[in-house]
Amino acid sequence: MKKINNFLRELGAYVMLIREAFKRPQNNRVFFRRMIFEMKALGIDSIVIVLIISIFVGAAIVIQLLLNINGPMYPDWVYGFAARKAIVLELAPTIISLILAGKCASRITSEIGTQKITEQIDALEVMGVNTASYLILPKIVACLLFFPLLMVMSVFSALIGGLIGALPMGIITYFDYVEGMRLDFGTGEIVYAMVKATINALIISSIACYRGYTLKGGSVEVGQESTKAIVQSSIVIMVFNILVTSLFN
C-alpha cells in the first residue's frame, strides 16, 4: 500500500511539474536560443551513436534471417521485406529510443540535478523566472523535434547495414534486397514509427527532467536519480510500445 501511495504521489507531482513546464515562455528569444542549444546537445550529438548501432543491428538482423530462413521455398525478396518490417516497426522507434534513454536521460537528469543542489534553480526563482518552463520546456521540445529525425536516420542506416551484411554471404543480390524493401511499402509504417518516436521522446525528456528537478541531496543522489531516470524511461517506453502496437493493429 505504501508503494502505491508513493507511486501516486510521484505521478501527481510529475503531472503538475510538466503542466507548469508547458506554460508560455516568459522570453521567446531566450527560449528559442536554449531550444537550439538542446537540439545540438541531445540530438546532433546523438547522431553518431544512432548510426553506428543501427548499421550493426541492421546487418545482424539480415544475417540472422539469411541463416535461419534460407531455403528454396522462400523467395529471395523475403529477406529485404522482413528486414524492413523489423527495422521500421521495432528497431528504429523502440530500440534506438532505449539507447537514447541511456544517453539523453542521464545527461538531462544530471544537468538539472546539479543546478538543483547548487541552488541555481532557487536563484532563478528568486529572480521571478518560471524555472520549470525555462529549464524543462526547451529540452522537451528539442527531443520532440529531433528524435523523429534520429528515427528516420536509424531506418536508413539499418537498411544499409542489412545490405552490407547480406551481400558478402552471396545468398541474395542487391536487387533482391531492394525489391523486398520496396514491396508493399506504405506510409502507414512511417506514421506508426513516427508516432512511437514522438511518444518516446516525450517520455524520455519529461521523466529525466522530473527526476532532476525534484532531486534532493548531493552528488551521490545525482547519480542515483540519473539511474532512476534511465530505468523508469525504459520501462515506460516498453509499456507504451505495447499500447501503441495494439492501437495500430
Side-chain angles (χ1 to χ4, degrees), residues 62 65-66 69-83 166 170-181 183:
V62 175
L65 289 172
L66 291 170
I69 63 173
N70 185 24
M73 67 179 65
Y74 299 107
D76 290 336
W77 52 258
V78 72
Y79 306 105
F81 178 79
I171 298 176
I172 60 173
T173 65
Y174 166 82
F175 298 101
D176 294 329
Y177 184 79
V178 173
E179 181 186 2
M181 286 196 303
L183 184 67

Side-chain angles (χ1 to χ4, degrees), residues 6-104:
N6 290 337
F7 170 76
L8 294 176
R9 190 182 301 110
E10 282 212 345
L11 180 61
Y14 165 81
V15 172
M16 292 178 64
L17 176 63
I18 299 305
R19 185 179 65 178
E20 187 71 18
F22 273 92
K23 288 185 176 180
R24 183 176 179 178
Q26 295 170 307
N27 189 315
N28 291 331
R29 183 177 299 178
V30 172
F31 167 76
F32 182 76
R33 188 164 59 244
R34 289 188 59 82
M35 184 187 69
I36 296 299
F37 172 79
E38 297 298 343
M39 288 180 69
K40 178 187 180 302
L42 300 173
I44 295 177
D45 290 349
S46 301
I47 290 177
V48 174
I49 188 172
V50 167
L51 294 181
I52 291 174
I53 291 176
S54 298
I55 288 172
F56 282 98
V57 174
I61 287 174
V62 175
I63 291 172
Q64 287 292 340
L65 289 172
L66 291 170
L67 292 176
N68 288 282
I69 63 173
N70 185 24
M73 67 179 65
Y74 299 107
D76 290 336
W77 52 258
V78 72
Y79 306 105
F81 178 79
R84 190 201 76 217
K85 285 287 188 180
I87 289 168
V88 175
L89 300 181
E90 288 301 329
L91 167 66
T94 304
I95 305 302
I96 294 302
S97 292
L98 295 175
I99 302 300
L100 292 173
K103 180 183 181 299
C104 297

